[in-house]
């Protein structure tokens, strides 16, 4: 018999994408081989997100699609947030599923798979009360230049719209030595950009005797030789501390970008969301960022149509967009999530109204971004080149601010630029990207 093969499909956020990289690393270490289609695979896994969309529906429809093949000895598994949220209900709705495992239990994957091989029909890993973080000796990375590094998992906040505390469990910080070892190994392997990941990175607390806080960790990571850019996501405004801005000012390796989700511009809505800050407190932190010695790009997440959001509340969110002048905004219609406190609030809005508000907000932000991006025309920016787009004949890269830059090269330049840092002269700007030419 040949090697066991697996197929893994991932839905959702960067944490999920990185979890999948770790799952792949774990399975490769177990002797599995990764294949590109479910048809070729012995083991078919879906790593799912349930933060917003009705992801569970998407997963069930995928499972349905391949149901007929289950008889042919294939093993189906559901991982991630939907697994954690739906638990054993998945077996009822999709009886051919053999494995249901949430992210807090991924360390047990080899054991769970061995039990299936030994003949068990259904196995689960659904514990949330773990102190472990998921570390794998071998992690395969999807991007050859930028690597994700988890520093904290789970979340102890109680934002009333959010399912994460139920799907990813309590906050667990990873020991600093382990983070530093991974970062040094990545730098030695040629990675120049690191993105530190966690639901709430700013509440990082080193559990080892060194006792580093997030700022110390940032400073230490940024000093690792070979690294050119260090990013981090996501920070909660409540713990976002002025020292983070100082650290960025002092070390140019810390990228010129902060993602600070605000969710709403209305104090009344922020209160109902239990975000633990007011608009004014949030704006004070934005001022720290804006008054830094080096310009720092600011992005955010916004939810429109939260239960009870009035037209006036919504207008306050729109005015916040003007006041801050974000470089990019991820905006979403409120979506009711299982177990969350917001489900029981009154004033749920019809979907069309949420859609209307979302469209207005996105159009406004598009104009803001176009204006902000246009200020870069005529300037030269440094980009980390990621890929070549044969369709447009342009290279694609990102600035330290995380802006996408599409650019062309003079005829003479034939060698691959991927992975290199180059200077680009910006000649055009759109709402979502800049365009230009390789600078001499
Ligand atoms: N509905 C809509 N958006 C949500 N988010 C989290 N939960 C919900 C929900 N129930 C958004 C928030 C968060 C981002 C990751 O997803 O804006 O910051
Ligand atoms: Fe969810 Fe709030 Fe935690 Fe972010 S901080 S993961 S929105 S509960």
């Amino acid at each position: 018999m040949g090697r066991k093969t697996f197929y893994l499909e991932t839905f959702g956020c960067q944490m999920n994408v990185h979890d999948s990289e770790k799952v792949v690393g774990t399975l490769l270490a177990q002797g599995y081989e990764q294949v590109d289609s479910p048809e070729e695979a012995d083991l078919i896994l879906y790593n799912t997100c349930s933060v917003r969309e009705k992801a569970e529906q998407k997963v069930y429809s995928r499972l349905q699609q391949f149901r007929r093949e289950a008889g042919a000895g294939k093993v189906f598994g559901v991982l991630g947030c939907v697994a954690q949220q739906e638990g054993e209900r998945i077996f009822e709705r999709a009886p051919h599923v053999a494995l249901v495992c949430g992210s807090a239990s991924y360390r047990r994957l080899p054991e769970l798979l061995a039990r299936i091989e030994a003949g068990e029909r259904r196995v689960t890993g659904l514990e949330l009360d773990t102190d472990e973080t998921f570390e794998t000796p071998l992690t395969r990375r999807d991007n050859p230049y930028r690597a994700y590094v988890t520093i904290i998992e789970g979340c102890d906040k109680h934002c009333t719209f959010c399912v994460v505390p139920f799907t990813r469990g309590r906050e667990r910080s990873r020991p600093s030595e382990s983070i530093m070892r991974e970062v040094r190994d990545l730098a030695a392997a040629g990675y120049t950009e690191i993105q530190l990941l966690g639901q709430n990175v700013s509440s990082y607390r080193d559990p080892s005797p060194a006792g580093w806080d997030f700022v110390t960790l940032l400073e230490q990571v940024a000093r690792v030789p070979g690294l050119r850019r260090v990013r981090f996501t996501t920070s909660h405004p409540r713990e976002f501390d002025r020292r983070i801005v100082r650290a960025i000012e002092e070390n140019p390796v810390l990228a010129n970008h902060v993602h600070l989700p605000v969710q709403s511009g209305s104090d009344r809505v922020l209160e109902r969301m239990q975000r633990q800050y007011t608009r004014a407190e949030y704006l004070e932190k934005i001022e720290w960022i804006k008054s830094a010695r080096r310009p720092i790009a600011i992005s955010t997440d916004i939810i429109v149509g939260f239960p009870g959001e009035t037209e006036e509340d919504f207008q306050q969110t729109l005015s916040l967009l003007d006041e801050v002048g974000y470089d990019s905004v991820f905006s979403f219609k409120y979506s009711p999530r299982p177990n969350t406190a917001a489900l029981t609030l009154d004033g749920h809005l019809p979907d069309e109204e949420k859609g209307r508000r979302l469209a207005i907000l996105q159009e406004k932000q598009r104009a803001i971004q176009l204006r902000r991006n246009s200020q870069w025309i005529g300037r030269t920016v440094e980009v980390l080149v990621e890929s070549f787009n044969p369709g447009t004949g342009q290279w694609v890269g990102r600035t330290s601010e995380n802006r996408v830059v599409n650019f062309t090269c003079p005829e003479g330049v034939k060698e691959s630029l991927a992975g290199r840092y180059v200077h680009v002269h910006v000649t055009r700007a759109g709402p979502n990207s800049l365009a230009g030419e390789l600078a001499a």
Side-chain angles (χ1 to χ4, degrees), residues 116-404:
I116 293 175
E117 273 188 37
E120 270 186 65
R121 275 271 294 124
R122 285 172 176 172
V123 300
T124 57
L126 294 168
E127 307 72 21
L128 269 182
D129 53 347
T130 168
D131 274 334
E132 288 178 347
T133 52
F134 178 43
E135 288 192 42
T136 49
L138 173 93
T139 300
R140 211 214 47 181
R141 313 265 171 184
D142 287 340
N143 182 315
Y145 318 112
R146 182 185 336 121
Y148 296 132
V149 174
T150 307
I151 65 167
I152 179 168
E153 303 201 42
C155 181
D156 285 348
K157 295 260 183 302
H158 302 281
C159 304
T160 53
F161 53 81
C162 187
V163 78
V164 166
F166 305 97
T167 58
R168 287 186 174 270
R170 281 188 297 113
E171 243 169 51
R172 285 101 62 204
S173 289
R174 180 175 167 191
S176 56
E177 321 90 272
S178 158
I179 298 172
M180 293 306 291
R181 199 177 321 118
E182 182 172 4
V183 170
R184 283 193 208 100
D185 288 350
L186 287 165
Y191 287 92
T192 58
E193 182 171 316
I194 297 284
Q195 181 152 353
L196 303 177
L197 285 185
Q199 297 301 336
N200 189 359
V201 290
S202 30
S203 42
Y204 176 80
R205 273 274 150 218
D206 185 2
S208 68
W212 292 358
D213 66 1
F214 177 60
V215 174
T216 310
L217 180 72
L218 259 189
E219 289 166 347
Q220 295 293 331
V221 169
R223 257 181 239 155
V224 171
L227 296 186
R228 302 273 300 260
R229 284 180 185 172
V230 173
R231 307 180 183 282
F232 54 92
T233 187
T234 292
S235 324
H236 189 285
R238 170 91 182 194
E239 280 102 20
F240 188 86
D241 168 339
R242 194 166 202 162
R243 292 166 54 233
I244 299 175
V245 180
R246 298 222 177 94
I248 296 176
E249 282 183 322
E250 275 155 28
N251 191 338
V253 168
L254 292 173
N256 307 339
H257 178 209
V258 171
H259 182 64
L260 204 58
V262 67
Q263 314 299 358
S264 168
S266 149
D267 281 341
R268 215 179 59 85
V269 174
L270 289 172
E271 170 80 40
R272 284 164 67 88
M273 289 176 164
Q274 283 185 34
R275 287 291 287 179
Q276 307 177 44
Y277 54 82
T278 60
R279 176 186 175 115
E281 283 162 352
Y282 179 85
L283 284 171
E284 189 188 348
K285 307 201 174 204
I286 293 293
E287 265 324 298
W288 301 341
I289 302 172
K290 284 188 176 172
S291 55
R293 287 198 295 274
R294 184 150 52 88
I296 298 175
I298 306 173
S299 57
T300 200
D301 293 345
I302 286 178
I303 297 177
V304 299
F306 186 75
E309 184 188 76
T310 61
E311 182 60 30
E312 165 61 21
D313 294 320
F314 174 59
Q315 291 298 329
Q316 301 231 351
T317 299
L318 293 180
S319 81
L320 186 83
L321 294 188
D322 281 326
E323 207 166 331
V324 177
Y326 289 107
D327 295 279
S328 80
V329 171
F330 301 90
S331 50
F332 316 102
K333 291 194 278 192
Y334 166 72
S335 119
R337 304 282 69 212
N339 305 317
T340 56
L343 281 182
T344 59
L345 293 176
D346 47 16
H348 283 257
L349 297 173
D351 193 57
E352 311 83 78
E353 180 56 19
K354 294 189 238 179
R356 186 188 71 87
R357 293 185 189 180
L358 187 68
I360 294 172
L361 182 133
Q362 290 183 338
E363 195 180 306
K364 181 176 189 67
Q365 180 56 25
R366 206 178 140 81
I368 294 174
Q369 281 173 212
L370 183 58
R371 223 166 31 240
R372 292 187 66 78
N373 284 346
S374 300
Q375 295 169 358
W376 290 85
I377 295 175
R379 290 161 69 178
T380 297
V381 294
E382 186 184 50
V383 308
L384 165 56
V385 187
E386 289 177 5
S387 59
F388 181 71
N389 179 346
T392 61
Q394 289 172 311
W395 289 93
V396 187
R398 275 174 199 274
T399 65
S400 173
E401 291 80 11
N402 213 27
R403 259 193 201 84
V404 173

Side-chain angles (χ1 to χ4, degrees), residues 379-383 405-407 422-426 436-439:
R379 290 161 69 178
T380 297
V381 294
E382 186 184 50
V383 308
V405 182
N406 300 297
F407 65 98
V422 301
H423 285 94
V424 173
H425 183 67
V426 179
E437 292 144 14
L438 187 70

Side-chain angles (χ1 to χ4, degrees), residues 7-32:
Y7 168 79
L8 171 62
E9 192 172 341
T10 309
F11 306 90
C13 67
Q14 286 161 329
M15 290 284 282
N16 240 24
V17 170
H18 185 42
D19 277 351
S20 279
E21 291 176 340
K22 298 190 223 179
V23 168
V24 170
T26 305
L27 292 176
L28 294 178
Q30 294 290 306
Y32 280 84

